[in-house]
Amino acid sequence: MGIPVTKSELFDVGAVVAAVQRAVGTPEGTLGLHEPVFAGNEVAYLEQCIKSTFVSSVGEFVDRFENMLEELTGARRAIAVVNGTAALHVCFRLAGVEPGEEVMSPALTFIATTNAISYCGATPHFVDSSFDTLGMDSRALAARLDAVAQRSSTGTVNRESGRRIAAIVPMHTYGHPVDLDGIAAIARQWAIPLVEDAAESLGSTYNGHMVGSQARLAALSFNGNKIVTTGGGGAILTNDDELGRRAKHLTTTAKLPHKWAFVHDEIGFNYRMPNLNAALGCAQLEQLDGFLKRKRALAAAYDRAFAAVPGIQFAREPEGAGSNYWLNAILLDEAHAGSRDELLTALNASGFGARPAWTLMHRLPMFAGCPRGDLRVAESIERRLINLPSSASIQVRDD
Ligand SMILES: *Cc1c(COP(=O)(O)O)cnc(C)c1O
């Protein structure tokens, strides 16, 4: 009879650290989770912007940045704003989300998705995620709507709460596209508008198109940790010219164009991206192709390194979709979920800025009372997922 061992002792934490080292080597200091890369025209454009004195809400870099986004994504209109949360807020407003209504949302997301719903006075209604995409599960969405929703003269209503279901917001987790065809079909069936939270997925593809390019309304983020950054920033993408015009109007204080008069025709937002941030963004977008290549090479290196580690799966892009691999992720087998924190400690002690998934939204005090379906997949992912250092600057060891 030996000393009893716990499950976590059976799990080889050292083998996981070794796999990360096989992929990216042993860092000098710490490899952050996601660090920006400024290797292009950043300084030149910023200097040009400062010399022009147009650093704030008017300037040519904002137009240029929006044009570059349109060209790059294939969306008809791109409207640059101060951050991704503001982009989502305006998307929900334009989708018609009103106070006292509900928005179907994944519980596994960054707080920005849920905050933006709340800014409209609406309530998130959480649905489960999928192991294949890490995003909203179309089957779980269908099941939840079948269970609680009812068509009425005012739209689709949650029978239990009496509130109208005003939008569905799938999010492309870590850059992996959701099952958009499945979710869009359900949205059409129930006549509920779709808003895509594409904050993490610039450069990802679905059905051969850039994510966000086919959307009536999608939100991007250019926060410092995203695949390209403007410092802080975001954008609204739309394929509808009228929505594009409305988005620009609402995000620029709803001011009517005039040579000198200050006339505003509704309560708008001061959400326009400053020219200074757009200058940085133009330089960053010029490098997106290179970032995407490096991030795919990094993901492939992690995938190879973890193929030999029992009890762990590398999160690959969903079949038929292309991920920008914004953040790489591994999933421990359920039996090893208890080792997650030990593993996080070991990875960070070895200089790898590994992080857990976000705490699920329904566990946060502000959203604990919100309506929700069964969330067992999201809860399982939350227990088992670890994000690994994913910067485009990381040198793959066997490059
Ligand atoms: C980054 C992010 C946003 C937007 O965040 P901001 O910091 O406001 O730009 C929105 N949703 C998700 C899922 C994100 O990861």
Side-chain angles (χ1 to χ4, degrees):
M1 294 292 275
I3 302 159
V5 288
T6 65
K7 260 185 188 158
S8 119
E9 277 175 289
L10 290 170
F11 182 66
D12 191 351
V13 166
V16 178
V17 176
V20 176
Q21 283 166 340
R22 265 203 305 285
V24 301
T26 307
E28 297 274 322
T30 298
L31 281 185
L33 185 65
H34 202 288
E35 290 160 357
V37 177
F38 301 121
N41 291 316
E42 284 88 352
V43 173
Y45 291 174
L46 284 169
E47 194 177 348
Q48 201 178 319
C49 183
I50 288 167
K51 285 188 170 152
S52 77
T53 77
F54 288 98
V55 294
S56 190
S57 47
V58 183
E60 62 172 37
F61 282 111
V62 175
D63 295 334
R64 196 156 131 198
F65 185 63
E66 290 177 342
N67 291 338
M68 286 178 83
L69 279 175
E70 287 160 5
E71 205 153 293
L72 200 143
T73 60
R76 276 186 75 84
R77 290 292 311 276
I79 296 91
V81 295
V82 288
N83 57 52
T85 312
L88 279 168
H89 180 195
V90 171
C91 283
F92 288 132
R93 282 286 297 260
L94 293 177
V97 177
E98 296 285 341
E101 299 187 330
E102 289 180 10
V103 176
M104 307 303 289
S105 164
L108 179 69
T109 187
F110 177 58
I111 188 83
T113 320
T114 322
N115 278 344
I117 294 167
S118 308
Y119 298 164
C120 295
T123 302
H125 184 150
F126 300 117
V127 287
D128 209 1
S129 304
S130 143
F131 282 123
D132 299 330
T133 66
L134 305 178
M136 183 185 274
D137 185 347
S138 56
R139 287 155 307 182
L141 175 67
R144 184 64 185 160
L145 289 172
D146 285 341
V148 303
Q150 181 181 323
R151 295 294 302 272
S152 82
S153 56
T154 54
T156 294
V157 171
N158 177 348
R159 269 187 277 110
E160 291 177 357
S161 66
R163 295 186 286 241
R164 193 175 81 97
I165 298 173
I168 301 171
V169 60
M171 192 277 281
H172 308 287
T173 309
Y174 309 135
H176 302 320
V178 289
D179 165 21
L180 208 48
D181 284 345
I183 292 169
I186 297 157
R188 269 194 306 276
Q189 180 197 335
W190 289 95
I192 306 172
L194 261 191
V195 170
E196 280 180 60
D197 184 343
E200 304 180 354
S201 55
L202 179 67
S204 299
T205 57
Y206 184 78
N207 284 346
H209 298 286
M210 283 285 178
V211 160
S213 68
Q214 311 298 300
R216 202 166 154 266
L217 288 162
L220 297 176
S221 169
F222 309 108
N223 187 33
N225 64 353
K226 294 300 194 317
I227 187 162
V228 303
T229 184
T230 59
I236 298 155
L237 300 179
T238 177
N239 265 330
D240 182 311
D241 285 329
E242 176 54 19
L243 282 177
R245 196 196 60 74
R246 289 271 304 134
K248 194 66 180 174
H249 188 61
L250 261 187
T251 55
T252 52
T253 67
K255 184 179 176 297
L256 298 177
H258 191 277
K259 262 203 167 79
W260 53 75
F262 293 101
V263 181
H264 308 256
D265 64 354
E266 63 185 303
I267 296 175
F269 303 97
N270 182 15
Y271 277 177
R272 175 166 32 196
M273 178 183 282
N275 206 37
L276 207 51
N277 300 77
L280 189 59
C282 289
Q284 286 272 288
L285 283 183
E286 289 170 356
Q287 297 163 81
L288 178 62
D289 274 348
F291 292 165
L292 287 167
K293 284 199 187 82
R294 296 186 65 95
K295 289 171 79 68
R296 288 196 77 80
L298 178 59
Y302 280 133
D303 196 355
R304 280 195 301 277
F306 278 99
V309 183
I312 288 203
Q313 247 187 302
F314 175 75
R316 293 195 187 130
E317 64 195 356
E319 206 136 328
S323 177
N324 68 2
Y325 283 104
W326 171 55
L327 289 188
N328 291 287
I330 51 173
L331 281 159
L332 313 186
D333 286 356
E334 193 65 68
H336 305 311
S339 301
R340 186 198 70 173
D341 290 353
E342 192 188 340
L343 201 41
L344 282 167
T345 305
L347 285 167
N348 280 278
S350 304
F352 301 112
R355 293 289 179 271
W358 308 282
T359 297
L360 297 180
M361 292 300 111
H362 68 290
R363 298 194 201 282
L364 303 178
M366 323 71 96
F367 304 118
C370 295
R372 59 177 194 253
D374 183 302
L375 298 176
R376 81 184 74 174
V377 174
E379 285 169 354
S380 168
I381 293 171
E382 179 196 40
R383 278 194 297 275
R384 307 192 284 119
L385 186 137
I386 291 179
N387 285 125
L388 298 174
S390 300
S391 315
S393 56
I394 293 174
Q395 283 290 331
V396 171
R397 202 170 157 199
D398 53 1
D399 235 353

